[in-house]
């Protein structure tokens, strides 16, 4: 896997990293965790391709796609609890090249943060286990009810960083359609990693910029930021 950083100067930017499926290499953990919850709901076990093709947020909608019916609030609470318990029992595996890439970005003067829809305490514990917390200016996980989208949390995240009106120099690197939707809703750029929780074909069909490695995602994102920073000729 290509883990080298771009050799040409990057525009000054802020990178918001997604966690699950992006920095954290945990697709198989998510499939296993889902399969630990589906039988209790009367659902069939799924493979990686099915998971990635049908995954969506809010997550209750994901269960509805798999089960062919809406789930009750109690079923959602029970399933989400079992899912998270299974995930927490797995070791944290950071994607190959991520630490080196983030370190290089930090040393080059760019800023970075981490935003996830997983519970905040869980996120902090996993980042601590990975030993990369020092690379981020801010780390935000979910503190409210589960099952939402990322647009509003991203708005609050950028506001806390003092970047609410600087979306033009913000790059969100994620792996799901919701990541791109959240970025665009906040005037930011997004590049999606093809090795995460959403199937590459689904990402490509939506027309979002894609990359097979995190380094390529940053390189492509920097080009998007540089392009918008160029003055428009009249």
């Amino acid at each position: 896997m290509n883990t080298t950083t771009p050799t040409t100067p990057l525009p000054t930017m802020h990178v918001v990293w997604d966690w699950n499926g992006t920095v954290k290499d945990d697709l198989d953990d998510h499939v296993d965790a889902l399969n630990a919850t589906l039988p209790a709901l009367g659902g069939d076990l799924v493979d990686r391709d099915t998971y990635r093709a049908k995954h969506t947020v809010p997550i209750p909608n994901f269960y509805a796609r798999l089960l062919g019916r809406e789930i009750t609030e109690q079923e959602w609470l029970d399933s989400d609890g079992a899912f998270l318990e299974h995930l927490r029992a797995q070791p944290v595996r950071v994607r190959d090249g991520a630490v080196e890439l983030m370190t290089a970005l930090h040393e080059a003067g760019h800023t970075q943060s981490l935003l996830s829809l997983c519970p905040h305490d869980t996120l902090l514990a996993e980042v601590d286990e990975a030993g990369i917390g020092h690379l981020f200016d801010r780390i935000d996980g979910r503190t409210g009810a589960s099952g939402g989208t990322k647009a509003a949390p991203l708005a609050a995240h950028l506001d806390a960083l003092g970047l609410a009106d600087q979306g033009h120099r913000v790059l969100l690197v994620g792996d799901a359609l919701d990541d791109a939707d959240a970025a665009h809703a906040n005037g930011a750029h997004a590049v999606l990693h093809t090795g995460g929780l959403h199937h590459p074909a689904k990402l490509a069909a939506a027309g979002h910029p894609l990359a097979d490695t995190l380094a390529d995602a940053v390189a492509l994102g920097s080009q998007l930021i540089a392009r918008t920073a160029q003055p428009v000729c009249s």
Side-chain angles (χ1 to χ4, degrees), residues 51-135:
Y51 184 104
R52 299 177 87 197
K54 294 193 174 183
H55 185 273
T56 189
V57 293
I59 297 299
N61 294 348
F62 181 30
Y63 277 94
R65 285 185 176 184
L66 295 171
L67 298 170
R69 65 173 180 86
E70 300 294 327
I71 63 174
T72 67
E73 182 177 355
Q74 189 59 53
E75 284 178 325
W76 162 239
L77 292 174
D78 292 343
S79 299
D80 189 46
F83 183 91
L84 292 173
E85 181 179 2
H86 186 94
L87 277 188
R88 292 187 185 109
Q90 312 310 311
V92 176
R93 296 184 303 276
V94 174
R95 194 171 297 280
D96 289 346
V99 176
E100 294 83 358
L101 175 62
M102 292 175 180
T103 300
L105 287 169
H106 178 75
E107 292 176 348
H110 306 289
T111 54
Q112 303 169 85
S113 59
L114 188 62
L115 177 65
S116 175
L117 294 180
C118 81
H120 185 67
D121 291 345
T122 298
L123 179 63
L124 291 181
E126 292 183 346
V127 170
D128 184 63
E129 181 179 339
I132 58 176
H134 63 286
L135 294 169

